[in-house]
Amino acid sequence: MNTLAPTGTKHSTDLSGPTSVSLRTIAMVVMLFTVLLSTGISCAEDKSDSSAEDRLVAFEFRIAGDELRTRIVMEFESKPDFSYHLLATPHRLVVDLPETHFGFPEKTAKARGLLSDIRYGAMAPGRSRIVFTAIGPVKSEMAEVKKNDADGTYRLVFDLAATSDQEFASLVGQQRWDPSSSDEATKPQNKPAKSDKSFTVAIDPGHGGIDTGAKGRNGAQEKDITLAVGLALKTALERDTDIHVVLTRDADAFVSLSERVRRARQHSADMFVSIHADSIRVKGVRGATVYTLSEKASDQMAHQLAAQENRSDLIAGLSLEDEPDTVADILIDLTRRETQVFSDSLAGAVIGAFDGSVKLINNPHRSAGFRVLRAPEVPSVLVELGYLSNIEDEKLLSDPKWRERTAELLVTAIGAYRKKVTGVSN
Ligand code: ZN
């Protein structure tokens, strides 16, 4: 399944044109080119002799989204018959089409979001192919052809979503792929259950790289504190061989918010804990807070903090304008509602473990629209360990002993939560 014959030519159109081109042909091509340019259709590289009428023409390509969801739209002059399949190593989505002239500007088919590479071209006589290489396991949540009523053209739309290694493997396994047929690919709907009994904890040290996060009055940087606590928590959790830890970052590197969520989902994390130590304008405020996702912020402080955290991607120069979804969209999701109960339970466990040992702010469980808490099926919390805007908190947060002790309390909280939801205790 992993060995695939030539997957087309990168950023190329049909290569099956004549090898020797007479001056007359060139003149004709130039004429054709001029005519087509004046009518606004870009298929200037069309040199093939095959009958142009029955050949499919893709004249526009659009792609939008992030590391969690990516939408691909291709516009065709006539209705495209297509099939698609998933391939592993690397993760790919392969779309087979009848012979197609790819007439859209090359630069519009630039990989982004979930995709790292896009190739397209002739595959065999009468057949063309597009290969989308993904940054991780993906699934197609929607793949369909729709008629554009205004002008009678058609669009092929793919909605790709990040998924777990496990579900991806299962989807690949369920495919009945005969590479020579153009049958619609099977689209299995059932999500496989997790087979092993281990418990996967995704630890998300906030910020990193160009995004330093908050800065303390004595120079402590949030990104260093979150990584130190994250690594201490990983070490402490891994004493239990039953627990598998996924770190969304283990070095001083920038990782976008959606990529953090994607990494947790890829490993089918049972829970996600994002670690932060921010600052707010009120210098007197100190202590830890545990946040869960909510469309409506529980209070003004939670709202401000979420806005601050959600700026991470902007700080690194990423544009959010193509984001296909909002926190509100996610909250409509039924899975999300189910997950919310578990997220609240996890928040309660963290507060319970901290109580009496780590200073908590008033009403320590709060909620707001944090983008990093949006994995629909992974119970998620964001822990603000303290405030770098407070001099006492900065001192504690910078102390390796305090960090280790706090990591131990988080281990206790995770153990209590795990026991509650799975019945397994350690
Ligand atoms: Zn932060």
Side-chain angles (χ1 to χ4, degrees):
M1 190 69 81
N2 299 346
T3 50
L4 177 70
T7 53
T9 309
K10 185 168 190 181
H11 303 316
S12 156
T13 50
D14 202 319
L15 298 175
S16 62
T19 47
S20 69
V21 184
S22 71
L23 276 176
R24 207 172 133 225
T25 316
I26 291 173
M28 278 172 65
V29 168
V30 168
M31 264 175 64
L32 181 68
F33 182 82
T34 315
V35 169
L36 289 171
L37 269 188
S38 64
T39 54
I41 302 163
S42 170
C43 52
E45 288 169 54
D46 188 353
K47 292 183 294 246
S48 166
D49 286 331
S50 67
S51 50
E53 294 98 65
D54 34 293
R55 202 162 52 143
L56 205 54
V57 174
F59 63 91
E60 196 178 320
F61 188 102
R62 299 191 298 277
I63 180 166
D66 61 15
E67 290 91 341
L68 291 175
R69 280 198 170 74
T70 299
R71 169 168 285 187
I72 300 158
V73 181
M74 277 173 282
E75 303 279 357
F76 290 86
E77 287 183 353
S78 51
K79 190 175 180 180
D81 280 328
F82 75 102
S83 64
Y84 70 94
H85 314 90
L86 294 169
L87 281 178
T89 337
H91 303 98
R92 279 160 296 168
L93 174 86
V94 177
V95 181
D96 281 323
L97 292 160
E99 185 176 344
T100 303
H101 171 68
F102 297 99
F104 44 77
E106 199 179 292
K107 63 177 191 294
T108 57
K110 212 173 142 215
R112 58 164 295 164
L114 266 168
L115 303 176
S116 59
D117 189 47
I118 301 171
R119 286 159 194 263
Y120 48 87
M123 185 64 188
R127 287 170 55 206
S128 293
R129 172 169 284 184
I130 311 174
V131 179
F132 297 103
T133 305
I135 58 173
V138 288
K139 61 180 172 183
S140 170
E141 289 192 328
M142 188 188 71
E144 60 184 42
V145 171
K146 289 175 179 166
K147 190 171 184 179
N148 297 317
D149 290 331
D151 58 3
T153 59
Y154 290 82
R155 65 186 187 277
L156 172 59
V157 184
F158 278 97
D159 273 348
L160 303 183
T163 185
S164 63
D165 286 327
Q166 208 171 6
E167 188 179 10
F168 181 83
S170 160
L171 290 171
V172 169
Q174 287 173 61
Q175 286 175 157
R176 296 186 307 267
W177 186 13
D178 171 5
S180 62
S181 98
S182 60
D183 288 350
E184 185 83 13
T186 52
K187 287 191 278 181
Q189 298 293 328
N190 294 337
K191 211 172 154 180
K194 243 183 131 176
S195 53
D196 60 315
K197 284 193 201 77
S198 75
F199 191 76
T200 302
V201 178
I203 304 172
D204 175 46
H207 311 276
I210 191 171
D211 170 23
T212 55
K215 278 182 189 154
R217 285 201 277 167
N218 287 325
Q221 295 199 96
E222 182 183 2
K223 65 172 184 176
D224 300 327
I225 291 165
T226 60
L227 183 59
V229 173
L231 292 171
L233 179 56
K234 175 177 155 68
T235 305
L237 279 170
E238 283 179 342
R239 285 195 310 252
D240 181 345
T241 53
D242 220 15
I243 288 184
H244 174 58
V245 173
V246 178
L247 276 168
T248 58
R249 71 173 177 101
D250 59 5
D252 181 18
F254 174 78
V255 181
S256 75
L257 296 175
S258 47
E259 174 64 10
R260 291 167 191 265
V261 180
R262 195 196 65 76
R263 287 179 187 178
R265 295 181 76 185
Q266 170 167 8
H267 297 278
S268 307
D270 292 289
M271 54 162 284
F272 178 90
V273 55
S274 188
I275 298 165
H276 289 260
D278 279 271
S279 73
I280 55 166
R281 284 190 205 101
V282 195
K283 291 191 175 64
V285 174
R286 57 173 303 207
T289 320
V290 183
Y291 291 91
T292 48
L293 181 70
S294 158
E295 187 183 352
K296 223 172 147 221
S298 58
D299 58 280
Q300 189 54 28
M301 201 172 100
H303 173 76
Q304 272 175 19
L305 200 90
Q308 199 169 306
E309 294 299 0
N310 292 346
R311 277 177 47 81
S312 274
D313 288 357
L314 292 174
I315 287 165
L318 299 188
S319 158
L320 299 182
E321 63 194 19
D322 292 320
E323 294 289 321
D325 51 8
T326 65
V327 172
D329 288 338
I330 296 152
L331 286 169
I332 297 164
D333 198 305
L334 278 175
T335 322
R336 179 74 252 175
R337 277 182 213 160
E338 235 173 74
T339 306
Q340 196 62 38
V341 177
F342 290 101
S343 299
D344 290 341
S345 171
L346 178 56
V350 174
I351 290 163
F354 278 10
D355 197 19
S357 305
V358 169
K359 189 175 169 49
L360 293 161
I361 70 165
N362 292 333
N363 308 317
H365 180 187
R366 301 185 184 211
S367 58
F370 292 91
R371 297 177 55 81
V372 80
L373 301 181
R374 62 184 170 145
E377 76 289 20
V378 186
S380 305
V381 295
L382 184 145
V383 181
E384 287 284 350
L385 292 169
Y387 288 94
L388 280 173
S389 40
N390 179 279
I391 211 111
E392 285 103 315
D393 267 7
E394 182 182 9
K395 217 167 122 190
L396 289 180
L397 291 161
S398 307
D399 176 7
K401 282 261 157 28
W402 183 89
R403 290 171 186 165
E404 265 172 44
R405 207 161 52 84
T406 306
E408 291 299 338
L409 295 170
L410 285 169
V411 171
T412 306
I414 291 165
Y417 168 77
R418 184 186 181 192
K419 188 175 180 208
K420 197 173 165 189
V421 298
T422 67
V424 176
S425 65
N426 290 283

